[in-house]
Coordinates of all heavy atoms in Angstrom, one line a residue:
M546 N 89.6 6.4 -58.7 CA 89.3 6.4 -57.2 C 88.3 7.5 -56.9 O 88.2 8.5 -57.4 CB 90.7 6.7 -56.5 CG 90.5 6.9 -55.0 SD 91.9 6.9 -53.9 CE 93.0 8.1 -54.6
N547 N 87.5 7.1 -55.9 CA 86.5 8.0 -55.3 C 86.8 8.3 -53.9 O 87.2 7.4 -53.2 CB 85.0 7.4 -55.4 CG 84.4 7.6 -56.7 OD1 84.9 8.0 -57.7 ND2 83.0 7.3 -56.7
L548 N 86.6 9.6 -53.6 CA 86.7 9.9 -52.1 C 85.4 10.5 -51.6 O 84.7 11.2 -52.3 CB 87.8 10.9 -51.9 CG 89.3 10.7 -52.3 CD1 90.1 11.9 -51.9 CD2 89.8 9.4 -51.5
L549 N 85.0 10.0 -50.4 CA 83.9 10.7 -49.7 C 84.6 11.5 -48.6 O 85.3 10.9 -47.8 CB 82.9 9.7 -49.2 CG 82.0 9.1 -50.2 CD1 81.1 8.0 -49.5 CD2 81.3 10.1 -51.0
I550 N 84.3 12.7 -48.5 CA 84.9 13.6 -47.5 C 83.8 14.2 -46.6 O 83.0 14.9 -47.2 CB 85.7 14.7 -48.1 CG1 86.7 14.2 -49.1 CG2 86.3 15.6 -47.1 CD1 87.4 15.1 -50.0
S551 N 83.9 13.9 -45.4 CA 82.9 14.5 -44.4 C 83.6 15.2 -43.4 O 84.7 15.0 -43.0 CB 82.2 13.2 -43.7 OG 81.4 13.7 -42.7
Y552 N 83.1 16.4 -43.1 CA 83.7 17.2 -42.0 C 82.7 17.9 -41.1 O 81.5 18.1 -41.4 CB 84.5 18.4 -42.9 CG 83.7 19.2 -43.7 CD1 83.1 20.4 -43.1 CD2 83.5 19.0 -45.0 CE1 82.3 21.3 -43.9 CE2 82.8 19.8 -45.8 CZ 82.2 20.9 -45.2 OH 81.4 21.8 -46.0
D553 N 83.3 18.2 -40.0 CA 82.6 19.0 -38.9 C 83.6 20.0 -38.4 O 84.4 19.6 -37.6 CB 82.1 18.0 -37.9 CG 81.2 18.8 -36.8 OD1 80.9 19.9 -37.0 OD2 81.0 18.2 -35.8
I554 N 83.5 21.2 -38.9 CA 84.4 22.3 -38.6 C 83.6 23.4 -37.8 O 82.7 23.9 -38.4 CB 85.2 22.8 -39.8 CG1 85.9 21.6 -40.5 CG2 86.1 23.9 -39.4 CD1 86.5 21.9 -41.9
R555 N 84.0 23.7 -36.6 CA 83.3 24.7 -35.8 C 83.4 26.1 -36.3 O 82.3 26.8 -36.4 CB 83.8 24.5 -34.3 CG 83.0 25.4 -33.5 CD 83.4 25.2 -32.1 NE 82.5 26.0 -31.1 CZ 82.3 25.8 -29.9 NH1 82.9 24.8 -29.4 NH2 81.6 26.6 -29.2
D556 N 84.6 26.5 -36.7 CA 84.8 27.9 -37.1 C 84.1 28.1 -38.5 O 84.6 27.5 -39.5 CB 86.3 28.2 -37.2 CG 86.7 29.6 -37.5 OD1 86.6 30.5 -36.7 OD2 86.9 29.8 -38.7
D557 N 83.3 29.1 -38.6 CA 82.5 29.4 -39.8 C 83.5 29.8 -41.0 O 83.3 29.3 -42.1 CB 81.5 30.5 -39.6 CG 80.4 30.1 -38.7 OD1 80.1 29.0 -38.5 OD2 79.8 31.2 -38.1
K558 N 84.4 30.6 -40.7 CA 85.3 31.0 -41.8 C 86.1 30.0 -42.3 O 86.3 29.7 -43.5 CB 86.2 32.2 -41.2 CG 87.1 32.8 -42.3 CD 87.9 34.1 -41.7 CE 88.7 34.7 -42.7 NZ 89.5 35.8 -42.2
L559 N 86.7 29.1 -41.4 CA 87.5 28.0 -41.8 C 86.6 27.0 -42.6 O 87.1 26.4 -43.6 CB 88.2 27.4 -40.6 CG 89.1 26.2 -40.9 CD1 90.3 26.6 -41.8 CD2 89.7 25.7 -39.6
R560 N 85.5 26.7 -42.0 CA 84.5 25.8 -42.7 C 84.2 26.2 -44.1 O 84.2 25.4 -45.0 CB 83.3 25.6 -41.8 CG 82.3 24.6 -42.4 CD 81.1 24.3 -41.5 NE 80.4 25.6 -41.3 CZ 80.3 26.2 -40.1 NH1 80.9 25.7 -39.0 NH2 79.6 27.3 -40.0
N561 N 83.9 27.5 -44.3 CA 83.6 28.0 -45.6 C 84.8 27.9 -46.6 O 84.7 27.6 -47.7 CB 83.1 29.5 -45.6 CG 81.8 29.6 -44.9 OD1 81.0 28.6 -45.0 ND2 81.4 30.7 -44.4
R562 N 86.0 28.2 -46.0 CA 87.2 28.0 -46.9 C 87.4 26.7 -47.3 O 87.8 26.4 -48.4 CB 88.4 28.7 -46.1 CG 88.5 30.2 -46.1 CD 89.8 30.6 -45.5 NE 90.9 30.1 -46.1 CZ 91.9 29.5 -45.3 NH1 92.0 29.5 -44.1 NH2 93.0 29.0 -46.0
F563 N 87.1 25.7 -46.4 CA 87.4 24.3 -46.6 C 86.4 23.8 -47.7 O 86.8 23.1 -48.7 CB 87.2 23.5 -45.4 CG 87.6 22.0 -45.4 CD1 88.9 21.7 -45.4 CD2 86.6 21.1 -45.6 CE1 89.3 20.3 -45.4 CE2 87.0 19.7 -45.7 CZ 88.4 19.3 -45.7
A564 N 85.1 24.2 -47.6 CA 84.1 23.8 -48.6 C 84.4 24.3 -50.0 O 84.3 23.6 -51.0 CB 82.8 24.3 -48.1
K565 N 84.9 25.6 -50.0 CA 85.3 26.2 -51.3 C 86.4 25.5 -51.9 O 86.5 25.3 -53.1 CB 85.5 27.7 -51.1 CG 84.3 28.5 -50.9 CD 84.5 29.9 -50.7 CE 83.3 30.7 -50.4 NZ 83.5 32.2 -50.1
M566 N 87.4 25.2 -51.0 CA 88.6 24.5 -51.6 C 88.2 23.2 -52.1 O 88.7 22.7 -53.2 CB 89.6 24.3 -50.5 CG 90.9 23.5 -50.8 SD 90.8 21.8 -50.7 CE 90.3 21.4 -49.0
L567 N 87.3 22.4 -51.5 CA 86.9 21.1 -52.0 C 86.2 21.3 -53.4 O 86.5 20.6 -54.3 CB 85.9 20.4 -51.1 CG 86.5 20.0 -49.8 CD1 85.4 19.4 -48.8 CD2 87.5 18.8 -50.1
T568 N 85.3 22.3 -53.5 CA 84.6 22.6 -54.8 C 85.6 22.9 -55.9 O 85.5 22.5 -57.0 CB 83.5 23.7 -54.5 OG1 82.7 23.3 -53.6 CG2 82.8 24.0 -55.8
R569 N 86.6 23.8 -55.5 CA 87.6 24.2 -56.5 C 88.4 23.1 -57.0 O 88.9 23.0 -58.1 CB 88.5 25.3 -55.9 CG 88.0 26.7 -56.0 CD 89.1 27.8 -55.7 NE 89.9 27.4 -54.5 CZ 89.7 27.7 -53.3 NH1 88.6 28.5 -53.0 NH2 90.5 27.4 -52.2
N570 N 88.5 22.1 -56.2 CA 89.3 20.9 -56.6 C 88.5 19.8 -57.1 O 88.9 18.6 -57.1 CB 90.2 20.4 -55.4 CG 91.4 21.4 -55.2 OD1 92.3 21.2 -55.9 ND2 91.2 22.3 -54.3
G571 N 87.3 20.1 -57.5 CA 86.5 19.1 -58.3 C 85.4 18.3 -57.5 O 84.8 17.5 -57.9
A572 N 85.4 18.5 -56.1 CA 84.5 17.8 -55.3 C 83.1 18.2 -55.5 O 82.9 19.4 -55.7 CB 85.0 17.8 -53.9
I573 N 82.1 17.4 -55.3 CA 80.7 17.7 -55.5 C 80.0 17.5 -54.2 O 80.1 16.5 -53.5 CB 80.1 16.8 -56.6 CG1 80.7 17.0 -57.9 CG2 78.6 17.1 -56.6 CD1 80.4 16.0 -58.9
R574 N 79.2 18.5 -53.8 CA 78.5 18.5 -52.5 C 77.4 17.5 -52.5 O 76.5 17.6 -53.4 CB 78.0 19.8 -52.1 CG 77.2 19.8 -50.8 CD 76.8 21.2 -50.3 NE 77.8 21.7 -49.4 CZ 78.0 22.9 -49.0 NH1 77.3 23.8 -49.6 NH2 79.0 23.2 -48.1
L575 N 77.4 16.5 -51.7 CA 76.3 15.5 -51.6 C 75.3 16.0 -50.6 O 74.0 15.8 -50.7 CB 76.8 14.1 -51.2 CG 77.8 13.5 -52.3 CD1 78.2 12.2 -51.8 CD2 77.1 13.4 -53.7
Q576 N 75.8 16.3 -49.4 CA 75.0 17.0 -48.3 C 75.8 18.2 -47.8 O 76.8 18.4 -48.2 CB 74.8 15.8 -47.2 CG 74.0 14.7 -47.7 CD 73.8 13.7 -46.6 OE1 74.2 13.8 -45.5 NE2 72.9 12.7 -46.8
Y577 N 75.2 18.8 -46.7 CA 75.8 20.0 -46.3 C 77.4 19.9 -46.0 O 78.1 20.7 -46.4 CB 75.1 20.5 -45.0 CG 75.7 21.8 -44.5 CD1 75.5 23.0 -45.3 CD2 76.5 21.9 -43.4 CE1 76.0 24.2 -44.9 CE2 77.1 23.1 -43.0 CZ 76.8 24.2 -43.8 OH 77.4 25.4 -43.4
S578 N 77.8 18.8 -45.3 CA 79.2 18.7 -45.0 C 79.8 17.4 -45.5 O 80.7 16.8 -44.9 CB 79.4 18.8 -43.5 OG 78.7 17.8 -42.8
V579 N 79.2 16.9 -46.5 CA 79.7 15.7 -47.2 C 79.9 15.9 -48.7 O 79.0 16.3 -49.4 CB 78.7 14.5 -47.1 CG1 79.2 13.2 -47.7 CG2 78.4 14.2 -45.6
Y580 N 81.1 15.6 -49.2 CA 81.4 15.8 -50.6 C 82.0 14.5 -51.2 O 82.6 13.7 -50.5 CB 82.6 16.8 -50.7 CG 82.1 18.3 -50.6 CD1 81.8 18.8 -49.3 CD2 82.0 19.1 -51.6 CE1 81.4 20.1 -49.2 CE2 81.6 20.4 -51.5 CZ 81.3 20.9 -50.3 OH 80.9 22.2 -50.1
E581 N 81.8 14.4 -52.5 CA 82.3 13.3 -53.2 C 83.3 13.8 -54.2 O 83.1 14.8 -54.9 CB 81.2 12.6 -54.0 CG 81.8 11.4 -54.9 CD 80.6 10.8 -55.7 OE1 79.5 11.3 -55.8 OE2 81.0 9.8 -56.3
A582 N 84.6 13.2 -54.3 CA 85.6 13.6 -55.2 C 85.8 12.4 -56.1 O 86.2 11.3 -55.6 CB 86.8 14.1 -54.6
N583 N 85.7 12.6 -57.4 CA 86.0 11.5 -58.3 C 87.1 12.0 -59.4 O 86.7 12.8 -60.2 CB 84.8 11.0 -59.0 CG 84.9 9.9 -60.0 OD1 86.1 9.3 -60.0 ND2 83.9 9.5 -60.7
N584 N 88.2 11.4 -59.3 CA 89.3 12.0 -60.2 C 90.4 10.9 -60.2 O 90.3 9.9 -59.7 CB 89.8 13.3 -59.8 CG 90.2 14.2 -60.9 OD1 90.8 13.7 -61.9 ND2 89.7 15.5 -60.9
T585 N 91.5 11.3 -60.8 CA 92.6 10.4 -60.9 C 93.3 10.3 -59.6 O 93.1 11.2 -58.7 CB 93.8 10.9 -61.9 OG1 94.2 12.1 -61.5 CG2 93.1 11.0 -63.3
D586 N 94.0 9.3 -59.3 CA 94.7 9.0 -58.1 C 95.7 10.1 -57.8 O 95.7 10.6 -56.6 CB 95.5 7.7 -58.1 CG 94.6 6.5 -57.9 OD1 93.4 6.7 -57.8 OD2 95.2 5.4 -58.2
R587 N 96.3 10.7 -58.8 CA 97.2 11.8 -58.6 C 96.5 13.0 -58.0 O 97.0 13.7 -57.1 CB 98.0 12.1 -59.8 CG 99.1 13.2 -59.6 CD 99.9 13.4 -60.9 NE 99.0 13.9 -62.0 CZ 98.8 15.2 -62.2 NH1 99.2 16.1 -61.3 NH2 97.9 15.5 -63.1
I588 N 95.5 13.4 -58.7 CA 94.7 14.6 -58.3 C 94.2 14.5 -56.9 O 94.2 15.4 -56.1 CB 93.6 14.9 -59.3 CG1 94.1 15.1 -60.7 CG2 92.7 16.0 -58.8 CD1 94.6 16.5 -61.0
L589 N 93.6 13.3 -56.6 CA 93.0 13.0 -55.3 C 94.0 13.0 -54.2 O 93.8 13.5 -53.0 CB 92.2 11.8 -55.2 CG 90.9 11.9 -56.2 CD1 90.1 10.6 -56.1 CD2 90.0 13.1 -55.9
N590 N 95.3 12.5 -54.5 CA 96.3 12.5 -53.5 C 96.8 13.9 -53.2 O 97.1 14.3 -52.1 CB 97.5 11.7 -54.0 CG 97.2 10.2 -53.8 OD1 96.4 9.8 -52.9 ND2 97.8 9.3 -54.6
N591 N 96.8 14.8 -54.3 CA 97.1 16.2 -54.2 C 96.1 16.9 -53.3 O 96.5 17.8 -52.5 CB 97.2 16.9 -55.5 CG 98.5 16.5 -56.3 OD1 99.4 16.0 -55.7 ND2 98.4 16.8 -57.6
L592 N 94.8 16.5 -53.4 CA 93.8 17.0 -52.5 C 94.1 16.7 -51.1 O 93.9 17.5 -50.2 CB 92.4 16.6 -53.0 CG 91.2 17.0 -52.2 CD1 91.1 18.5 -52.2 CD2 90.0 16.4 -52.7
K593 N 94.4 15.5 -50.9 CA 94.7 15.0 -49.5 C 95.9 15.8 -48.9 O 95.9 16.2 -47.7 CB 95.0 13.5 -49.4 CG 93.9 12.7 -49.7 CD 94.4 11.2 -49.5 CE 93.3 10.2 -50.1 NZ 93.9 8.8 -50.0
I594 N 96.9 16.0 -49.7 CA 98.1 16.8 -49.3 C 97.7 18.2 -49.0 O 98.2 18.8 -48.0 CB 99.2 16.7 -50.4 CG1 99.8 15.3 -50.4 CG2 100.3 17.7 -50.1 CD1 100.7 15.0 -51.6
L595 N 96.8 18.8 -49.8 CA 96.4 20.2 -49.6 C 95.6 20.3 -48.2 O 95.9 21.2 -47.5 CB 95.5 20.6 -50.7 CG 95.0 22.0 -50.7 CD1 96.0 23.0 -50.7 CD2 94.0 22.3 -51.8
I596 N 94.8 19.3 -48.0 CA 94.1 19.3 -46.7 C 95.1 19.2 -45.5 O 95.0 20.0 -44.5 CB 93.1 18.2 -46.6 CG1 91.9 18.4 -47.6 CG2 92.5 18.0 -45.2 CD1 91.0 17.2 -47.8
E597 N 96.0 18.4 -45.6 CA 97.1 18.1 -44.6 C 97.9 19.4 -44.4 O 98.1 19.8 -43.2 CB 98.0 16.9 -44.9 CG 99.0 16.6 -43.9 CD 98.5 16.2 -42.6 OE1 97.4 15.5 -42.6 OE2 99.1 16.4 -41.5
E598 N 98.4 20.0 -45.4 CA 99.3 21.1 -45.3 C 98.6 22.4 -45.0 O 99.2 23.3 -44.4 CB 100.2 21.2 -46.6 CG 101.1 20.1 -46.7 CD 102.0 20.1 -48.0 OE1 101.7 21.0 -48.9 OE2 102.8 19.3 -48.2
E599 N 97.5 22.7 -45.6 CA 96.8 24.0 -45.5 C 95.8 24.0 -44.4 O 95.5 25.2 -43.9 CB 96.2 24.3 -46.8 CG 97.1 24.5 -48.0 CD 98.1 25.7 -47.7 OE1 97.7 26.7 -47.2 OE2 99.3 25.5 -48.1
F600 N 95.2 22.9 -44.1 CA 94.0 23.0 -43.1 C 94.2 22.3 -41.8 O 93.7 22.8 -40.7 CB 92.7 22.5 -43.8 CG 92.2 23.4 -44.9 CD1 92.6 23.3 -46.2 CD2 91.4 24.5 -44.5 CE1 92.1 24.1 -47.2 CE2 90.9 25.3 -45.5 CZ 91.3 25.1 -46.8
A601 N 94.9 21.2 -41.8 CA 95.0 20.4 -40.6 C 95.5 21.1 -39.4 O 95.0 20.9 -38.3 CB 95.8 19.1 -40.9
K602 N 96.5 21.9 -39.6 CA 97.1 22.6 -38.5 C 96.2 23.7 -37.9 O 96.4 24.2 -36.8 CB 98.4 23.2 -39.0 CG 98.3 24.2 -40.1 CD 99.7 24.6 -40.5 CE 99.5 25.4 -41.9 NZ 100.7 25.4 -42.7
K603 N 95.1 24.1 -38.6 CA 94.2 25.1 -38.2 C 93.0 24.5 -37.5 O 92.2 25.2 -36.9 CB 93.7 25.9 -39.3 CG 94.8 26.7 -40.0 CD 94.3 27.4 -41.3 CE 95.6 28.1 -41.9 NZ 95.2 28.7 -43.2
F604 N 92.8 23.2 -37.5 CA 91.7 22.6 -36.8 C 91.8 22.6 -35.4 O 92.9 22.4 -34.8 CB 91.5 21.1 -37.3 CG 91.2 21.0 -38.8 CD1 91.6 19.8 -39.5 CD2 90.3 21.9 -39.5 CE1 91.3 19.7 -40.8 CE2 90.0 21.8 -40.8 CZ 90.5 20.7 -41.5
S605 N 90.7 22.8 -34.6 CA 90.7 22.7 -33.2 C 90.5 21.2 -32.7 O 90.2 20.4 -33.6 CB 89.6 23.6 -32.7 OG 88.4 23.1 -32.9
G606 N 90.5 21.0 -31.5 CA 90.2 19.7 -31.0 C 88.8 19.2 -31.2 O 88.4 18.0 -31.0
E607 N 87.9 20.1 -31.5 CA 86.5 19.8 -31.8 C 86.2 19.5 -33.2 O 85.1 19.2 -33.6 CB 85.7 21.0 -31.2 CG 85.8 21.2 -29.8 CD 85.0 22.5 -29.2 OE1 84.6 23.2 -30.1 OE2 84.8 22.6 -28.0
D608 N 87.2 19.8 -34.1 CA 86.9 19.7 -35.5 C 87.3 18.3 -36.0 O 88.2 17.7 -35.4 CB 87.8 20.7 -36.4 CG 87.4 22.2 -36.1 OD1 86.3 22.4 -35.7 OD2 88.3 23.0 -36.2
S609 N 86.6 17.8 -37.0 CA 87.0 16.5 -37.6 C 86.8 16.5 -39.1 O 85.9 17.2 -39.7 CB 86.2 15.4 -37.0 OG 84.8 15.5 -37.4
V610 N 87.7 15.8 -39.8 CA 87.6 15.6 -41.2 C 87.8 14.2 -41.5 O 88.8 13.6 -40.9 CB 88.6 16.5 -42.1 CG1 88.5 16.1 -43.5 CG2 88.3 18.0 -41.9
I611 N 86.9 13.5 -42.1 CA 87.1 12.1 -42.4 C 87.1 11.8 -43.9 O 86.1 12.3 -44.6 CB 86.0 11.2 -41.7 CG1 86.0 11.5 -40.2 CG2 86.2 9.7 -41.9 CD1 84.8 10.8 -39.5
I612 N 88.1 11.1 -44.4 CA 88.2 10.8 -45.8 C 88.0 9.4 -46.0 O 88.9 8.6 -45.5 CB 89.5 11.4 -46.5 CG1 89.6 12.8 -46.2 CG2 89.6 11.0 -47.9 CD1 91.0 13.4 -46.6
F613 N 87.1 8.9 -46.8 CA 86.8 7.5 -47.1 C 87.2 7.3 -48.6 O 86.8 8.0 -49.5 CB 85.3 7.2 -47.0 CG 84.8 7.4 -45.6 CD1 84.1 8.6 -45.3 CD2 84.8 6.4 -44.7 CE1 83.5 8.9 -44.1 CE2 84.3 6.6 -43.4 CZ 83.6 7.9 -43.1
E614 N 88.1 6.4 -48.8 CA 88.4 5.9 -50.2 C 87.3 4.8 -50.5 O 87.2 3.9 -49.8 CB 89.8 5.3 -50.3 CG 90.9 6.4 -50.2 CD 92.3 5.9 -50.4 OE1 92.4 4.8 -51.0 OE2 93.2 6.6 -50.1
V615 N 86.6 5.0 -51.6 CA 85.5 4.2 -52.0 C 85.8 3.6 -53.3 O 86.1 4.3 -54.3 CB 84.2 5.0 -52.1 CG1 83.0 4.1 -52.4 CG2 84.0 5.7 -50.7
N616 N 85.6 2.2 -53.4 CA 85.7 1.6 -54.7 C 84.5 1.9 -55.5 O 83.4 1.5 -55.1 CB 85.9 0.0 -54.4 CG 86.1 -0.7 -55.7 OD1 85.6 -0.4 -56.7 ND2 86.7 -1.8 -55.6
K617 N 84.6 2.5 -56.7 CA 83.4 2.8 -57.5 C 82.6 1.7 -57.8 O 81.3 1.9 -58.0 CB 83.9 3.6 -58.7 CG 82.8 4.3 -59.5 CD 83.4 5.2 -60.5 CE 82.2 6.0 -61.2 NZ 82.7 7.0 -62.1
T618 N 83.1 0.5 -58.0 CA 82.3 -0.7 -58.4 C 81.5 -1.1 -57.2 O 80.5 -1.8 -57.5 CB 83.2 -1.8 -58.9 OG1 84.1 -2.2 -57.9 CG2 84.0 -1.4 -60.2
K619 N 81.8 -0.7 -56.1 CA 81.0 -1.2 -54.8 C 80.2 -0.1 -54.3 O 79.5 -0.3 -53.3 CB 82.0 -1.7 -53.8 CG 82.7 -3.0 -54.2 CD 83.6 -3.5 -53.2 CE 84.4 -4.8 -53.6 NZ 85.2 -5.3 -52.5
L620 N 80.2 1.0 -54.9 CA 79.5 2.2 -54.4 C 78.0 2.2 -55.0 O 77.8 1.9 -56.1 CB 80.2 3.5 -54.9 CG 79.5 4.8 -54.6 CD1 79.6 5.0 -53.1 CD2 80.2 5.9 -55.3
Q621 N 77.1 2.2 -54.1 CA 75.6 2.3 -54.4 C 75.1 3.7 -54.1 O 75.3 4.2 -53.1 CB 74.9 1.2 -53.7 CG 75.3 -0.2 -54.1 CD 74.4 -1.3 -53.4 OE1 74.0 -1.1 -52.2 NE2 74.1 -2.3 -54.1
K622 N 74.3 4.1 -55.1 CA 73.6 5.4 -54.9 C 72.2 5.4 -55.1 O 71.7 4.5 -55.9 CB 74.3 6.5 -55.9 CG 75.8 6.7 -55.7 CD 76.3 7.7 -56.7 CE 77.7 8.0 -56.5 NZ 78.1 9.0 -57.4
Y623 N 71.4 6.2 -54.4 CA 70.0 6.2 -54.5 C 69.5 7.7 -54.6 O 70.3 8.6 -54.1 CB 69.3 5.6 -53.3 CG 69.7 4.1 -53.1 CD1 70.8 3.7 -52.4 CD2 69.1 3.1 -53.9 CE1 71.2 2.4 -52.2 CE2 69.5 1.8 -53.8 CZ 70.5 1.4 -52.9 OH 70.9 0.1 -52.8
G624 N 68.4 7.8 -55.1 CA 67.8 9.3 -55.1 C 68.6 10.2 -56.1 O 69.0 9.7 -57.2
Y625 N 68.7 11.4 -55.7 CA 69.3 12.4 -56.5 C 70.7 12.1 -57.0 O 71.2 12.4 -58.1 CB 69.4 13.8 -55.8 CG 70.2 14.8 -56.5 CD1 69.6 15.4 -57.6 CD2 71.4 15.2 -56.1 CE1 70.3 16.4 -58.3 CE2 72.2 16.2 -56.8 CZ 71.6 16.8 -57.8 OH 72.3 17.8 -58.5
A626 N 71.5 11.3 -56.2 CA 72.8 11.0 -56.5 C 73.0 10.1 -57.7 O 74.0 10.2 -58.4 CB 73.5 10.3 -55.2
I627 N 72.0 9.3 -58.0 CA 72.0 8.5 -59.3 C 71.8 9.5 -60.5 O 72.6 9.3 -61.4 CB 70.8 7.6 -59.3 CG1 70.9 6.5 -58.1 CG2 70.6 6.9 -60.6 CD1 69.7 5.7 -58.0
H628 N 71.0 10.3 -60.5 CA 70.8 11.3 -61.6 C 71.9 12.2 -61.8 O 72.2 12.6 -62.9 CB 69.4 12.0 -61.5 CG 68.3 11.1 -61.3 ND1 67.8 10.4 -62.2 CD2 67.5 10.9 -60.2 CE1 66.9 9.6 -61.8 NE2 66.5 10.0 -60.5
R629 N 72.5 12.6 -60.8 CA 73.6 13.5 -60.9 C 74.8 13.0 -61.7 O 75.5 13.7 -62.4 CB 74.2 13.9 -59.5 CG 75.2 15.1 -59.5 CD 76.0 15.2 -58.3 NE 76.9 14.2 -58.3 CZ 77.3 13.3 -57.4 NH1 76.7 13.4 -56.2 NH2 78.2 12.3 -57.4
D630 N 75.0 11.7 -61.7 CA 76.1 11.0 -62.4 C 75.8 10.7 -63.9 O 76.7 10.3 -64.6 CB 76.5 9.7 -61.8 CG 77.1 10.0 -60.4 OD1 77.6 11.1 -60.2 OD2 77.1 9.0 -59.6
Q631 N 74.5 10.9 -64.4 CA 74.2 10.7 -65.7 C 74.5 11.9 -66.6 O 74.4 13.0 -66.1 CB 72.6 10.3 -65.8 CG 72.3 9.1 -65.1 CD 70.7 8.8 -65.1 OE1 70.0 9.7 -65.5 NE2 70.4 7.6 -64.7
D632 N 74.9 11.6 -67.8 CA 75.3 12.7 -68.7 C 74.0 13.3 -69.2 O 73.0 12.7 -69.4 CB 76.0 12.1 -69.9 CG 77.4 11.6 -69.6 OD1 78.0 12.1 -68.6 OD2 77.9 10.7 -70.3
V633 N 74.1 14.6 -69.4 CA 72.9 15.4 -69.9 C 73.4 16.1 -71.2 O 74.5 16.6 -71.3 CB 72.5 16.5 -68.9 CG1 71.5 17.3 -69.5 CG2 72.1 15.9 -67.6
V634 N 72.6 15.8 -72.3 CA 73.0 16.4 -73.6 C 71.8 17.4 -74.0 O 70.7 17.2 -73.9 CB 73.0 15.3 -74.6 CG1 73.2 15.9 -76.0 CG2 74.0 14.3 -74.2
Y635 N 72.3 18.6 -74.3 CA 71.4 19.7 -74.7 C 71.6 19.9 -76.3 O 72.8 19.9 -76.7 CB 71.7 21.0 -74.0 CG 71.4 21.0 -72.5 CD1 72.4 20.7 -71.7 CD2 70.1 21.1 -72.1 CE1 72.1 20.7 -70.3 CE2 69.8 21.0 -70.7 CZ 70.8 20.8 -69.9 OH 70.5 20.8 -68.5
F636 N 70.6 20.2 -77.0 CA 70.6 20.5 -78.4 C 70.1 21.8 -78.6 O 69.3 22.4 -78.1 CB 69.8 19.4 -79.3 CG 70.3 18.1 -79.2 CD1 69.9 17.0 -78.4 CD2 71.4 17.8 -80.1 CE1 70.4 15.8 -78.4 CE2 71.9 16.4 -80.0 CZ 71.4 15.5 -79.2

């Protein structure tokens, strides 16, 4: 399963903690406030639970987090995103 996570969080401290949490849990930054998470269903469901339990109650009425579940076979990428997914081998 792939998740695309987009957020708009007004509080700088909370926004930074949220971004670091996504990175620690395997998400890759695509744009400033857009991340892609690609892992097992169990790991990604744990990520959703973490967002719900640790962050949702701290969001103000002006904040938003949107999580899209994306079918990897229907996902199209262009530009840098294509190269990021290719394996790199160093000798």
Side-chain angles (χ1 to χ4, degrees):
M546 173 169 47
N547 274 14
L548 296 181
L549 289 179
I550 303 165
S551 175
Y552 61 86
D553 183 11
I554 301 171
R555 184 173 183 157
D556 181 82
D557 292 337
K558 187 175 178 180
L559 183 60
R560 183 177 56 249
N561 289 334
R562 284 185 53 229
F563 190 80
K565 287 179 184 178
M566 179 276 302
L567 290 174
T568 302
R569 277 193 314 269
N570 285 280
I573 299 170
R574 178 175 265 163
L575 299 178
Q576 294 182 353
Y577 183 71
S578 61
V579 179
Y580 282 75
E581 177 185 11
N583 181 8
N584 213 315
T585 64
D586 289 350
R587 184 179 64 84
I588 300 279
L589 295 178
N590 285 332
N591 287 341
L592 179 60
K593 290 180 192 177
I594 291 168
L595 181 62
I596 292 170
E597 181 67 32
E598 292 179 355
E599 297 294 322
F600 288 93
K602 59 188 169 200
K603 297 176 184 174
F604 294 147
S605 74
E607 298 174 348
D608 298 334
S609 65
V610 174
I611 302 172
I612 300 173
F613 302 92
E614 290 187 16
V615 181
N616 182 333
K617 192 171 186 174
T618 61
K619 295 182 180 182
L620 181 64
Q621 291 184 324
K622 296 181 179 182
Y623 301 95
Y625 174 74
I627 294 171
H628 303 294
R629 192 199 73 228
D630 291 340
Q631 295 176 349
D632 294 333
V633 177
V634 178
Y635 294 99
F636 292 99

